[in-house]
Amino acid sequence: MTEKLEKQTKKLDNGFQISVVPMSGFNQVYGVTMANFGSVDTKTEKGLLPSGIAHFIEHKLFAKADYDVSEKFAEYGANSNAYTSYTKTAYLFQTLDNPYDNLKILLDLIQNPYFTEQNVASERGIIDQEIQMYLDMPEWVLEQRILGQLYPNEPIAEDIAGTSQSLQRINHQNLLTTYQQNYRPDNMNLVLVGDVDFERIENIVEDSNFHSIATPLKKVFNQFQPIGLGGQEKMDISQARSAYGIRIDTEMTGYDLVKKQFELNMIMETLIGESSKNYQEMSKLNLIDDSFSYNVVAENNYCFIIISGSTNNPKQFQEYLRNHLSYESLKEVLSDAKFKRIKRDAIGSYLFAQNSPEAIANQMAELYFYDVDYLQLIHMIDSIKKDDVLEISEKFLKDNNCTYYNLLPSGK
């Protein structure tokens, strides 16, 4: 276990936030810069952006006129990566050597786009191949289908990479315009974790080439359509897979939303975690196997739970969850001792993650956009009361908030 963590921060005049978590004597340095822009951010005041455009920008920022940024990182001894989520895009490196040189490369990566008609056309084919590959993965197909039931006709139900059709609408002009509107210094932040000097980091960032860029377009969020009634389709698989989804409509943002995510995770862990009575019963009934899992997602404007896995009886799988995911069931099993144990486990997971520079950096960078200090999460978790958990379950664990989707073997 590391010593108690501290951080140093500075917000530049252009709005770019720098955070450094010094870890003296730690060999590895991990850096991440994150933009508050992801796959769902396609509805704007001037119309709809092509789905997949955030992911496309992530891919193409690595390509410069005379070099590939990944090769630059490798030259200076760093591993690099990037990812696009529903609401964020992140670029990262980890290294044992040359952290300051690698920081300069990271800043070059995000500050100097090189989008041309030719390199966009070639990338379009690469991403389309990626999309086609995912279409053969049942777990990916199931997630997209259940999201389509939870949020009909919403961007979140689209593949993060887009579709073959939407890729045709992405070109070097709308890539650059979208980049300029979303990769603003005030819409990004940087976190470094490791044995580095804050003042040196600050000087490198201040001397870097932030461009004067466009005024951002306002994001548009319409009222969601009613939840779908559920559905199923056949696929070339040997065993059925089922997903059960719960949509939680809320206007909460920031601190309150992050706290809600912890509360929802406590509910799920109590009712269907591996140590729960329901998990054991579902296993005995042969309704679930080791693929069974749940995922709680709480983002600004989207909050939902997806429970999924392989099953021999999709209908019984759904009926069991519908009957046992309820306020009444939770109230019956959530004793004071059980709640203390669940909360202690949540705090333990948070503390364990502090051994990982990667976990610290990524969570700190993301929580910045929710006005939550990662190093203060332990106090948020500790502030959660048993009554808070029961109240949220009574409000949201209702049949009209739930839906399902099944993938059935095609019998080929």
Side-chain angles (χ1 to χ4, degrees):
M1 176 66 199
T2 59
E3 296 179 0
K4 182 179 179 181
L5 298 178
E6 297 179 350
K7 71 171 180 176
Q8 297 168 279
T9 63
K10 182 175 181 179
K11 180 170 284 191
L12 305 185
D13 291 341
N14 61 16
F16 189 77
Q17 171 91 2
I18 305 168
S19 300
V20 173
V21 179
M23 297 181 76
S24 180
F26 210 87
N27 292 326
Q28 185 185 93
V29 174
Y30 190 96
V32 59
T33 184
M34 188 174 290
N36 191 24
F37 175 63
S39 67
V40 302
D41 297 317
T42 55
K43 292 183 177 181
T44 76
E45 59 185 332
K46 289 191 176 180
L48 194 64
L49 295 170
S51 65
I53 197 166
H55 176 260
F56 210 117
I57 291 173
E58 175 222 307
H59 271 231
K60 288 317 300 172
L61 279 181
F62 280 87
K64 307 303 180 187
D66 302 314
Y67 59 93
D68 184 281
V69 175
S70 297
E71 295 174 0
K72 282 277 188 180
F73 276 121
E75 182 181 337
Y76 284 88
N79 294 320
S80 62
N81 208 340
Y83 62 86
T84 304
S85 69
Y86 299 129
T87 60
K88 310 290 185 297
T89 311
Y91 304 85
L92 51 97
F93 73 85
Q94 57 187 69
T95 186
L96 298 174
D97 304 298
N98 309 308
Y100 305 107
D101 290 313
N102 283 300
L103 172 59
K104 293 175 183 178
I105 297 169
L106 182 66
L107 293 169
D108 172 53
L109 165 62
I110 63 167
Q111 291 174 345
N112 299 299
Y114 179 69
F115 305 144
T116 68
E117 187 175 348
Q118 292 75 22
N119 71 16
V120 168
S122 62
E123 192 68 34
R124 193 180 290 123
I126 293 170
I127 295 177
D128 194 30
Q129 287 181 347
E130 181 182 326
I131 292 170
Q132 300 310 312
M133 179 185 68
Y134 283 126
L135 289 172
D136 292 327
M137 299 171 61
E139 62 275 14
W140 178 91
V141 173
L142 186 61
E143 180 176 344
Q144 298 307 125
R145 299 295 190 269
I146 190 65
L147 284 171
Q149 293 293 322
L150 288 169
Y151 296 98
N153 301 312
E154 284 295 315
I156 199 167
E158 297 271 8
D159 181 2
I160 286 174
T163 65
S164 297
Q165 293 73 31
S166 71
L167 292 179
Q168 298 304 314
R169 296 174 50 220
I170 296 175
N171 54 57
H172 65 289
Q173 291 103 335
N174 59 20
L175 277 178
L176 183 59
T177 301
T178 304
Y179 162 84
Q180 290 172 335
Q181 289 163 345
N182 292 283
Y183 281 67
R184 311 182 317 275
D186 65 326
N187 200 43
M188 303 186 73
N189 77 115
L190 169 73
V191 179
L192 282 102
V193 180
D195 195 352
V196 291
D197 179 72
F198 180 78
E199 186 174 347
R200 192 168 175 185
I201 296 293
E202 181 185 342
N203 290 336
I204 290 171
V205 176
E206 288 188 325
D207 290 341
S208 66
N209 186 30
F210 282 108
H211 296 281
S212 176
I213 51 182
T215 302
L217 292 177
K218 290 182 180 179
K219 299 175 184 178
V220 175
F221 299 101
N222 300 324
Q223 186 174 359
F224 295 137
Q225 294 181 16
I227 295 171
L229 298 177
Q232 61 186 33
E233 66 184 83
K234 291 187 176 181
M235 191 174 181
D236 187 15
I237 52 178
S238 59
Q239 187 181 19
R241 298 183 70 93
S242 186
Y244 188 81
I246 305 169
R247 190 172 97 185
I248 298 145
D249 291 341
T250 177
E251 295 182 357
M252 286 184 181
T253 59
Y255 181 96
D256 292 336
L257 184 63
V258 175
K259 184 178 179 182
K260 174 173 279 192
Q261 184 171 27
F262 278 103
E263 293 169 349
L264 291 169
N265 269 300
M266 289 178 180
I267 292 170
M268 290 298 106
E269 189 60 29
T270 302
L271 290 176
I272 55 173
E274 290 188 11
S275 64
S276 69
K277 179 182 177 182
N278 287 327
Y279 185 95
Q280 303 303 322
E281 181 68 18
M282 293 177 79
S283 296
K284 289 179 181 177
L285 293 171
N286 203 26
L287 295 179
I288 62 173
D289 58 18
D290 291 342
S291 67
F292 180 78
S293 65
Y294 67 85
N295 185 30
V296 178
V297 175
E299 302 275 12
N300 290 333
N301 303 295
Y302 295 99
C303 186
F304 58 89
I305 303 167
I306 295 176
I307 306 158
S308 64
S310 299
T311 181
N312 292 320
N313 194 325
K315 184 177 181 180
Q316 192 177 353
F317 173 92
Q318 293 147 20
E319 287 177 350
Y320 190 97
L321 291 174
R322 191 177 295 275
N323 291 333
H324 292 83
L325 293 180
S326 67
Y327 164 72
E328 291 77 16
S329 296
L330 184 67
K331 188 175 181 181
E332 182 180 340
V333 299
L334 190 60
S335 64
D336 291 343
K338 176 70 172 177
F339 177 72
K340 288 179 181 178
R341 186 162 61 251
I342 291 291
K343 186 159 76 169
R344 187 173 63 243
D345 289 346
I347 291 173
S349 296
Y350 164 75
L351 294 174
F352 181 78
Q354 293 191 1
N355 291 302
S356 166
E358 179 178 359
I360 296 167
N362 280 290
Q363 290 189 50
M364 184 173 289
E366 179 154 11
L367 288 170
Y368 166 76
F369 297 113
Y370 297 86
D371 295 320
V372 174
D373 183 351
Y374 169 74
L375 298 184
Q376 299 300 314
L377 270 185
I378 190 169
H379 302 298
M380 174 191 286
I381 300 169
D382 195 46
S383 72
I384 296 173
K385 308 299 182 188
K386 177 182 170 183
D387 286 345
D388 298 334
V389 173
L390 289 171
E391 181 181 347
I392 195 174
S393 71
E394 185 175 22
K395 187 174 181 180
F396 293 111
L397 291 184
K398 296 180 179 179
D399 285 354
N400 59 355
N401 293 331
C402 303
T403 188
Y404 74 93
Y405 204 87
N406 299 323
L407 293 179
L408 307 176
S410 62
K412 291 181 180 178

